[in-house]
Structure formats: structure tokens, C-alpha cells
Amino acid sequence: MSKNLVVGLSGNLTRPSKTKAFISHIVAEVASSTGAASTVFDIEDLGRSFPLARRIGDLDPSARNIVQRLLGADVLVVGSPTFKGSYTGLFKHFFDLLDPSSLRGKPVILAATGGGDRHSLVVEHQLRPLFGFFEALTLPTAIYASDKDFANGVLVSEAIHARASQAVAEARRAVPRSVGLAA
């Protein structure tokens, strides 16, 4: 069903980033299990009009298209920004442009990557601001992967693969039946 869409958005501006690889993995898993189309964007894909925009109408056509695809998605996979300086500001600015009600009820998977065994610190510092935005709209699912879960930028951890599969199953259950995603 081509109307179904899974969209990933990474707040990282570094290419290639582990967060984008992690998001891409989760998006691909959701899309393959539902027969949906999928795409992954970085915040920088919104282009030059984005930092100065005060509303979606201020964006150039390319950026508006990205926002419309995100708003039209059946499932969102959102990666944490690096939370360093302007990167965080850009990511927050993106969500400030959106009408929160346009996202109400959509399954959201939040993804973070970080070093070592700092799970609670990464979730607290990277995902907490995203939870603040999405909690009123839906019940987001969070997944964290540490640096040791990747080899050459590829997710290799079986435990994280299993957690991603669980998050995908939770997202599928949360999708309204009217969307038509496979059960």
C-alpha cells in the first residue's frame, strides 16, 4: 500500500552518523514489516530557509515537502540531536514550527546513540527533550544504542536488534486500523 509511510528524522548534522544509521535500520524494519514506503531525512535537508522560518509557509518548497512527508507519515522514527550548540537549537526549532495536533496519535520511536554504558545519561540528556514534545501527543518508545553496538557504522548488537523489533511491534499495534498497515 503506497499510501503508508515511515519517516525518519535525524537531528545530527554529521554524515555519516551512528544515529542516522540507527534510525535508518529502524525505519527499514518498520517499513518491511508493514509494506510501507520509507525515507530518512537529516535536519540539514531542510536547507537555508529553515533557520529563519517562523512558520511552515516560510520554508522553501523542498523543505515544505519534507515537513509534509513527516506530517503524513504513519510512523515516525526520530533521532536525538547531538545537543551541542546550534544543532540542538535547529532541532527544537523544527518541532516549534509544527502544529502538535498534526502528530497526535502517531506512533513515534525515539532513537539515541552514545558512548559506553551511559544509558541513563544519554536517555536523560538526549531523549528527554523529545519526550517533552511527544508525550502529550502519543506514547513514544525509546531505544538507545551505545558505541559498542556498532562496527564500522553498522548496528551489530543482537540485543539492540531485538529491542528495535520490539519497538516496531509496539508501533504497529499503535497505528490506527484505518491506516491499513499489516497486523
Side-chain angles (χ1 to χ4, degrees), residues 90-173:
L90 287 173
F91 206 63
K92 181 183 180 313
H93 178 62
F94 176 77
F95 288 108
D96 287 345
L97 291 178
L98 300 180
D99 171 10
S101 67
S102 62
L103 298 170
R104 190 169 312 284
K106 290 183 188 289
V108 176
I109 299 172
L110 304 177
T113 58
D117 295 320
R118 302 176 316 164
H119 174 74
S120 61
L121 289 175
V122 171
V123 169
E124 181 64 28
H125 289 95
Q126 291 187 337
L127 293 183
R128 184 57 50 202
L130 297 179
F131 265 101
F133 180 81
F134 286 110
E135 273 180 328
L137 308 171
T138 186
L139 294 173
T141 300
I143 307 174
Y144 164 77
S146 71
D147 290 345
K148 66 184 178 186
D149 296 321
F150 294 86
N152 297 322
V154 176
L155 183 64
V156 295
S157 167
E158 290 300 319
I160 299 302
H161 278 284
R163 180 65 186 114
S165 294
Q166 179 184 3
V168 167
E170 290 171 16
R172 288 178 64 203
R173 281 192 297 275

Side-chain angles (χ1 to χ4, degrees), residues 11 43 50-51 81-96:
I43 201 77
F50 166 65
T82 57
F83 284 88
K84 293 180 183 170
S86 63
Y87 297 174
T88 303
L90 287 173
F91 206 63
K92 181 183 180 313
H93 178 62
F94 176 77
F95 288 108
D96 287 345

